[in-house]
Amino acid sequence: MKRLFLLIAFAMCISICEVYAQSYSTYVSNSVPVSTESNSGRYEFIQSTNNSSHAFLIDKYTGNVWRYKILKKEFERLEREQPDSVLIDRINYQMYISAENSSMCFLLNIHTGDMWRYTSNIGENTFKKMEMPWKDE
């Protein structure tokens, strides 16, 4: 009789724990931070999912990018090597931050294909222009 009572009590504990676990399930987002498509507004704020120090404000018309400095609670304008020409009053740029490695941050001119990679060295935060494979053709 004791065994039956212990077996029933154990089964009830497992059932209660299972219900409790299901009601408090966690939501894990594997989304990749990328600026939205065209016609979605001129400015956008993008932040890395795994590193809060990589938070950027982008002007999708001009390609200007500001990094939010958490400790100072202010924005810092980032320089961009060899800025290109843009179409006036139109979205020209998109930004991407890797979900695995937040230092992999890119700025893309969606019309020309020109691309810049964010580099953060001591005293220097800038977007360096990348050589694209089709530029030599």
Side-chain angles (χ1 to χ4, degrees):
M1 186 69 159
K2 282 184 181 180
R3 279 189 193 174
L4 182 60
F5 179 72
L6 283 172
L7 187 59
I8 292 172
F10 183 69
M12 289 178 60
C13 285
I14 290 175
S15 298
I16 290 170
C17 290
E18 193 173 305
V19 168
Y20 180 77
Q22 287 176 357
S23 66
Y24 287 99
S25 63
T26 56
Y27 173 74
V28 177
S29 172
N30 291 328
S31 64
V32 176
V34 63
S35 55
T36 54
E37 300 168 7
S38 59
N39 301 327
S40 61
R42 178 175 180 163
Y43 296 95
E44 193 159 6
F45 186 78
I46 291 183
Q47 183 173 13
S48 169
T49 56
N50 64 0
N51 186 346
S52 62
S53 69
H54 283 107
F56 302 93
L57 176 65
I58 177 175
D59 179 340
K60 295 189 292 183
Y61 283 22
T62 65
N64 291 333
V65 179
W66 297 265
R67 184 175 72 106
Y68 184 70
K69 298 172 83 176
I70 295 170
L71 295 177
K72 292 186 176 181
K73 295 181 174 61
E74 63 183 27
F75 284 95
E76 162 193 38
R77 169 101 186 268
L78 301 175
E79 296 297 320
R80 182 167 37 117
E81 271 185 357
Q82 304 172 11
D84 56 350
S85 58
V86 296
L87 301 172
I88 305 294
D89 295 334
R90 191 165 163 194
I91 292 178
N92 295 290
Y93 295 92
Q94 186 172 30
M95 193 168 181
Y96 166 86
I97 302 174
S98 171
E100 286 82 34
N101 183 353
S102 62
S103 66
M104 299 286 285
C105 179
F106 301 93
L107 181 67
L108 169 70
N109 183 319
I110 61 174
H111 301 293
T112 66
D114 287 332
M115 188 178 251
W116 294 261
R117 181 176 178 188
Y118 175 70
T119 57
S120 178
N121 296 324
I122 296 172
E124 178 190 22
N125 295 318
T126 186
F127 279 91
K128 295 201 181 271
K129 190 158 188 183
M130 299 175 65
E131 290 296 323
M132 302 311 287
W134 60 83
K135 296 292 181 175
D136 295 332
E137 296 176 358

